[in-house]
Amino acid sequence: MNELINVEVYTDGSCHTQHCIGAWASILFIGNDKITLSGTEINTTHNRMEILAVINAVEYLQNNHSLIKEIRLVSDSQYVIGLIDRQSKFIKSNFKTKAGSDIRNVDLVKVLLALANSISIQFVKIKAHQKETEIANYNIEVDKICRKLVREAVNLSQQPQH
């Protein structure tokens, strides 16, 4: 008998706009387990990092926990939540703008929408940059992970090369 496991995922992305260095992070709660995923990218944007956080979390779940059929995904990204809401519009326009060019981040948007159609994801929008309280707020935690990774990557990129 397969027990339905509650899965809650918190995601965030961040980018240093002058250096175009970004980071993404996801915290996954699978039953009683807490898993943190993160990564950095160069030549990127804030929105790409927000999308990558979601993609990497869902792909991790699909690759490592195939019995999971429902995810509650918490994000402070209006951009990511908005992409899901505009899925039918994107399909109708073949992922093109009114001017005929590809929508921004078309490569990642297609992956995100395909994932959202392959598993039930309840997207929950949370307010960004909240103050810390006694209650655990994992959105703050993923935000801190992202910002730390961006700082480290920017510092590394500014060190003299030997």
Side-chain angles (χ1 to χ4, degrees), residues 9-149:
V9 177
Y10 292 81
T11 64
D12 202 9
S14 184
C15 186
H16 189 291
T17 52
Q18 284 87 11
H19 293 281
C20 299
I21 296 173
W24 59 269
S26 305
I27 296 175
L28 296 75
F29 290 96
I30 306 164
N32 295 323
D33 296 333
K34 177 183 177 185
I35 298 161
T36 303
L37 307 173
S38 63
T40 58
E41 300 275 330
I42 58 170
N43 300 320
T44 193
T45 65
H46 184 83
N47 284 340
R48 288 186 73 80
M49 294 299 89
E50 293 279 4
I51 299 173
L52 269 179
V54 175
I55 289 171
N56 286 312
V58 175
E59 286 181 343
Y60 175 87
L61 289 169
Q62 288 184 325
N63 293 333
N64 296 284
H65 299 277
S66 59
L67 296 178
I68 292 171
K69 302 296 178 213
E70 287 186 17
I71 302 167
R72 181 176 185 268
L73 193 135
V74 180
S75 173
D76 65 10
S77 172
Q78 185 61 47
Y79 176 68
V80 168
I81 304 296
L83 292 174
I84 301 306
D85 293 341
R86 297 191 335 255
Q87 178 173 342
S88 59
K89 179 183 172 188
F90 292 143
I91 292 168
K92 188 176 176 185
S93 72
N94 199 23
F95 296 88
K96 301 283 185 194
T97 65
K98 285 182 182 170
S101 57
D102 286 340
I103 62 167
R104 282 197 184 129
N105 307 312
V106 66
D107 56 334
L108 296 180
V109 170
K110 286 180 176 180
V111 173
L112 176 67
L113 295 178
L115 288 169
N117 289 321
S118 68
I119 188 167
S120 175
I121 305 174
Q122 175 195 3
F123 286 89
V124 178
K125 170 79 170 76
I126 190 169
K127 188 174 183 232
H129 309 292
Q130 298 177 43
K131 290 188 172 38
E132 288 195 55
T133 64
E134 314 81 52
I135 301 166
N137 182 335
Y138 298 102
N139 183 256
I140 292 172
E141 189 174 334
V142 288
D143 177 60
K144 285 182 177 181
I145 293 167
C146 288
R147 287 188 288 127
K148 180 178 187 275
L149 287 171

